[in-house]
Amino acid sequence: MDSHPERLTRRRQLVLRLRQFLAAALIAAALAVAGLYLLQRRRQNTELARSAQAHTPMLGLKIQQSAAGVTIAKSVAGRPVFRLEARRADTLRANGHDLLYDVSILVYERDGVHADSISGSRFRYDSRSGALQARGAVRIELASRPGAPRQRASPPVSIVAHDLSYNVKQGTGSIARGVTFALGTAQGSAGAAQLDSRAGQANFSGGVHLQWQRPGRAPLTVAARQAQLRRLPAGSPAAAAVTLAGGARLISGAQSLTADRLTLLLRRDHSLRRLLATGHIHAADVLPGRRLTLAADTAAAGFAPGRRQALNRLTLAGHVDARQLTAAQRGRLTAGQVNFLYSAAGVLQQVQASQGARLTLQGAQPQTLSAPELDFRLRPAVGAAPSQLRLAAIANQGRATLVSGADTAVADHLQLALDRREQPSSARASGDVQLRQLVAGTVRSSRSDRLALRFVPVAGKAQLQQATASGHVVVRQDDRRIAADAMTYTPADGRAQFTGHVRGSEAQARFAAQHLLWSAAPAGGGQLHARGAVTLSLLGAGGSTWGMGPASSAHSSPPVVVTANQLDWTEPPRAGDPTPLAAGAALPAPAAFRGTAVFRGAVRLVQVPNLLRADQVTLRGESALIAEGDVQTTLLAPGAKPRAVTIAAGQLVYTVASREAVYRRNVTMQVENARLQAPRIEAWLRPSGGLQRAEALQGVRLTQPGRTGSAERVSYDFASSLIELSGGPPSIFDAEQGKIIGDPLTFSLASDEIQVGSKLGVRATGQFIVHK
């Protein structure tokens, strides 16, 4: 039998070896748990490692030996810390290494209830260097445990490591022959690993592969050449981080993502919380009839909690380039940053592009929309899967520019709503809205504070139903311009309605009214209706045509100004300008006044010093002017002493070619103190301006203070101031001298003399001299 000292020595050596193995095993377990999958807790290995290295007694350590093997357990204040069981323990006398066989270890959490299990067939430990090795497979079962009070426990994690080497003193180790692990619905593997327990991380190489099985969704596969696993501090939003580098890629069904570097942030229940990607990011989503590709410098994705792990947010930044290809169209979106927002079910609902966003659509009509920020809202296609999305609305922040073919629109704010066929249904723009269109080879531009458009589907395409512009509206085409407070345009009937302080102009015309309605004819031209303080000013040639002024000096002619309560104008088509909405159509053409314009209500036509007043004035092209209803003209008679001639009648017809004005219906002509009345007066204008002569017909009556006259016909020569009475026979009655009858009778306004017959100043032939 052995002596008592020998038995005591052997027992001490066994206890020492068990303590050394226990420390190494506990540290290896903690490192494997932390390094192999980032969801583990820190262990109480530090004090055990120091105890093993110093060979000092361990308080609370309980060692039991039996025929079944060796059991070592440690507790602190009644709370279990760990429990180790081994079928056999041997010491190699040649090198001092300790060998344990069929080992099972339980490492308890601080609550003393939940524990991780580590098992292996054989462990070797060198107490001098602190090296721990397990050449076979080491199995680690990370127990379920709650992340917070009343929170469901996370599913267990199963890990298998091959060829484990670990240094207790340095706190580092490696796995040379591969690692496999499973957590919940995810399984992964790596070729090799480097462990660092003090930093709480593990670096994997040799090809890293991880796959999540997601109920109701395609599996998510993660792969890279290298990976780093880090346990995050307590209180962090995520429990662990996985960083993939070197050809990192994610694949889920028809969706894929590659990048130089990928970081996965995991929740306590092992679900994916967030994904970060940097460097040469490329993503693709291929569906029947559509292919979507994305490129960016960085990306960040968020995933909703739960079993489905639905994507709820994706942010791309740095030279973002998104492209979509369909059978009918190619689309491209570029920006400095793009945010993708998803519903709780993981369906994409909104796309926000910022930092210089630009959307380009290549199809039958190329279109480009650019702004500092563009906001796209989507919805599922009718009768299709939720993943089949259609664009529902577009909005912007910052000044936006829309280019469609040769047309351009610019506005501070833009909102475009689309129907379920992705055709426009309505659009609203505000903030210095500017439009530029190419119409029949000419440029038409407009601006307003606000613009609203309504569309209707016609044969599957959106057709403009109504356009409403408001606030400082200005429309230009060629040299024509029209401004108003508001404008409404309906293409179906070619009607454009301008309201509020309407002002129009072109090279030689100006126009104003409170309300203007233009109805375009399909072949060009159309009808114009204006009311409320209507004013039309004709300059240059237009003034020469209608102003009853000089005809030979158009450039120096005073302008003609027509005012009325209402204007109705019918304009025939203009060669080369069949545009439905031409702002200049509301204005007369300077070179060729076309169509028929009818002014009504307190009409005044002024060309200084000439004036026409009437209830209604009609302009017929360049041929005639017709004034009706209480007509009154005031015209200048030239001479050494120019005189104003006022003619009133029920109707005036002025012929441009002959410069003849015909007055009808109770005509009265007033020249200084002479008044002439007749059913009809015909007047001719001088080419240089002013009245040349006038003839009163069909029974004429002439009155002056103290004198009256009558004749069938009276001719007035304004240059010589001679009035000739003929037919009737003519007669003049003077209150002082009596009555004179003769044919003709000639009266001089300049000398106040009357000639009877053919020779002035000869008494023998009946000359009559009025004594004053």
Side-chain angles (χ1 to χ4, degrees):
M1 295 181 63
D2 295 335
S3 64
H4 180 71
E6 290 175 345
R7 290 197 301 272
L8 182 58
T9 299
R10 286 197 299 271
R11 181 170 294 180
R12 287 176 178 174
Q13 291 176 348
L14 177 60
V15 171
L16 178 60
R17 288 196 298 271
L18 289 175
R19 284 195 306 224
Q20 292 170 342
F21 167 74
L22 177 60
L26 289 176
I27 294 174
L31 291 172
V33 170
L36 295 174
Y37 210 73
L38 304 181
L39 301 174
Q40 315 315 318
R41 281 72 53 194
R42 297 189 178 274
R43 308 297 181 201
Q44 297 80 13
N45 300 343
T46 305
E47 63 177 75
L48 298 180
R50 288 199 300 266
S51 174
Q53 295 167 8
H55 303 287
T56 58
M58 300 175 64
L59 299 178
L61 185 66
K62 183 178 179 180
I63 303 174
Q64 295 180 347
Q65 286 185 309
S66 65
V70 179
T71 300
I72 303 175
K74 177 175 173 58
S75 61
V76 176
R79 175 179 59 81
V81 177
F82 65 85
R83 179 182 180 85
L84 182 149
E85 295 180 353
R87 183 178 60 80
R88 195 179 82 207
D90 294 337
T91 300
L92 302 178
R93 298 183 180 275
N95 52 23
H97 291 181
D98 297 319
L99 296 179
L100 293 178
Y101 298 91
D102 299 333
V103 179
S104 176
I105 305 172
L106 292 178
V107 182
Y108 288 90
E109 260 297 329
R110 293 185 183 277
D111 59 6
V113 177
H114 302 92
D116 298 334
S117 66
I118 304 171
S119 61
S121 61
R122 177 174 172 173
F123 289 87
R124 178 190 293 247
Y125 177 65
D126 185 352
S127 60
R128 291 173 298 180
S129 64
L132 176 70
Q133 292 182 339
R135 295 301 179 190
V138 176
R139 288 178 171 79
I140 304 171
E141 186 79 15
L142 307 180
S144 302
R145 63 202 68 176
R150 299 182 182 180
Q151 184 177 352
R152 294 178 58 186
S154 60
V157 178
S158 299
I159 300 174
V160 178
H162 299 270
D163 200 356
L164 171 67
S165 297
Y166 187 79
N167 190 286
V168 176
K169 295 181 179 180
Q170 298 175 2
T172 59
S174 64
I175 301 173
R177 292 171 50 200
V179 180
T180 60
F181 49 87
L183 62 159
T185 60
Q187 298 201 5
S189 63
Q194 296 292 325
L195 309 177
D196 189 337
S197 61
R198 292 171 183 170
Q201 70 180 36
N203 296 314
F204 294 87
S205 59
V208 182
H209 186 274
L210 180 65
Q211 186 174 68
W212 265 281
Q213 298 293 335
R214 301 180 295 175
R217 298 172 62 87
L220 176 63
T221 301
V222 182
R225 288 193 294 272
Q226 302 95 26
Q228 182 188 77
L229 311 180
R230 291 183 295 115
R231 185 174 54 234
L232 300 180
S236 299
V242 181
T243 300
L244 306 166
R249 62 188 182 276
L250 273 71
I251 300 174
S252 177
Q255 300 173 332
S256 63
L257 171 66
T258 63
D260 293 344
R261 184 183 182 92
L262 287 175
T263 299
L264 310 178
L265 299 179
L266 308 177
R267 295 185 179 88
R268 187 174 296 275
D269 63 356
H270 312 153
S271 65
L272 186 60
R273 181 181 184 275
R274 199 173 181 208
L275 181 146
L276 305 175
T278 57
H280 300 93
I281 297 171
H282 293 277
D285 186 4
V286 180
L287 293 172
R290 178 181 68 85
R291 176 180 177 84
L292 174 65
T293 61
L294 301 172
D297 295 338
T298 64
F303 296 84
R307 296 181 61 192
R308 289 178 59 85
Q309 300 183 44
L311 184 65
N312 59 15
R313 185 180 181 90
L314 172 63
T315 299
L316 303 176
H319 305 93
V320 181
D321 190 343
R323 306 188 186 201
Q324 178 174 274
L325 177 63
T326 64
Q329 196 175 62
R330 289 182 298 167
R332 181 180 183 185
L333 174 64
T334 59
Q337 179 172 311
V338 178
N339 294 326
F340 298 82
L341 305 181
Y342 296 78
S343 68
V347 178
L348 181 62
Q349 291 183 317
Q350 187 175 355
V351 179
Q352 298 173 333
S354 58
Q355 301 177 21
R358 182 183 181 91
L359 174 65
T360 303
L361 300 177
Q362 296 291 340
Q365 175 95 345
Q367 296 176 324
T368 300
L369 175 62
S370 59
E373 180 175 331
L374 292 175
D375 188 349
F376 305 90
R377 294 186 179 274
L378 302 101
R379 62 178 163 221
V382 178
S387 58
Q388 295 286 339
L389 301 176
R390 294 292 184 268
L391 191 59
I394 302 176
N396 76 293
Q397 294 293 329
R399 195 153 181 80
T401 300
L402 173 64
V403 179
S404 179
D407 301 336
T408 303
V410 183
D412 290 341
H413 304 285
L414 174 66
Q415 292 181 329
L416 176 64
L418 296 96
D419 61 20
R420 294 191 176 278
R421 295 179 177 83
E422 291 189 315
Q423 294 296 315
S425 59
S426 66
R428 292 185 178 275
S430 61
D432 191 19
V433 182
Q434 297 185 19
L435 302 178
R436 184 181 184 277
Q437 299 170 280
L438 187 63
V439 181
T442 63
V443 175
R444 181 168 68 212
S445 64
S446 67
R447 66 96 34 219
S448 61
D449 294 341
R450 295 166 297 277
L451 176 65
L453 306 177
R454 290 207 311 264
F455 300 87
V456 292
V458 177
K461 297 292 185 179
Q463 188 174 87
L464 181 63
Q465 182 184 39
Q466 179 176 300
T468 302
S470 59
H472 305 92
V473 179
V474 178
V475 183
R476 291 184 174 88
Q477 184 169 352
D478 296 328
D479 60 351
R480 293 169 288 179
R481 176 184 184 274
I482 190 165
D485 292 343
M487 180 199 76
T488 300
Y489 172 52
T490 51
D493 54 11
R495 291 163 63 96
Q497 180 171 275
F498 297 84
T499 57
H501 301 93
V502 183
R503 300 290 184 270
S505 66
E506 62 178 16
Q508 296 183 349
R510 302 290 185 270
F511 177 85
Q514 287 299 314
H515 176 92
L516 185 149
L517 176 62
W518 168 253
S519 300
Q527 294 182 336
L528 179 147
H529 172 77
R531 67 174 185 269
V534 178
T535 301
L536 174 63
S537 300
L538 303 176
L539 313 175
S544 175
T545 300
W546 291 116
M548 300 181 181
S552 59
S553 56
H555 296 289
S556 60
S557 295
V560 172
V561 179
V562 185
T563 62
N565 296 332
Q566 180 178 314
L567 167 62
D568 290 285
W569 189 345
T570 301
E571 184 185 27
R574 181 181 306 194
D577 183 24
T579 58
L581 176 59
L587 306 175
F593 190 92
R594 305 177 305 120
T596 300
V598 180
F599 297 85
R600 294 183 175 91
V603 183
R604 287 167 53 95
L605 189 153
V606 180
Q607 185 183 40
V608 177
N610 301 323
L611 171 64
L612 164 64
R613 290 187 177 94
D615 294 337
Q616 176 176 309
V617 172
T618 302
L619 305 181
R620 292 182 176 175
E622 290 189 308
S623 61
L625 177 152
I626 301 173
E628 295 182 289
D630 196 13
V631 179
Q632 180 177 311
T633 62
T634 300
L635 304 172
L636 188 65
K641 181 183 177 182
R643 296 176 298 250
V645 179
T646 301
I647 305 176
Q651 183 189 64
L652 164 64
V653 177
Y654 174 65
T655 304
V656 176
S658 61
R659 297 182 65 80
E660 178 185 12
V662 179
Y663 298 84
R664 296 184 179 92
R665 301 174 193 167
N666 302 318
V667 185
T668 299
M669 183 171 71
Q670 184 82 35
V671 183
E672 294 181 338
N673 62 359
R675 181 182 180 87
L676 189 150
Q677 293 177 290
R680 175 187 176 107
I681 291 180
E682 298 177 359
W684 288 265
L685 278 66
R686 299 165 59 89
S688 59
L691 282 170
Q692 181 178 9
R693 63 189 181 91
E695 288 187 1
L697 306 170
Q698 301 174 0
V700 184
R701 180 177 177 81
L702 177 67
T703 60
Q704 267 187 309
R707 184 182 300 153
T708 62
S710 63
E712 182 65 22
R713 179 187 185 97
V714 174
S715 177
Y716 195 148
D717 188 323
F718 294 97
S720 61
S721 298
L722 294 178
I723 301 177
E724 182 181 275
L725 289 74
S726 61
S731 66
I732 296 178
F733 175 78
D734 187 276
E736 296 182 0
Q737 302 298 330
K739 184 176 182 180
I740 301 174
I741 299 174
D743 192 1
L745 294 177
T746 303
F747 175 67
S748 173
L749 291 176
S751 63
D752 207 23
E753 293 180 344
I754 299 175
Q755 176 181 318
V756 181
S758 60
K759 190 172 182 180
L760 181 62
V762 179
R763 295 178 183 272
T765 60
Q767 181 181 29
F768 182 82
I769 300 176
V770 179
H771 298 281
K772 297 182 180 180

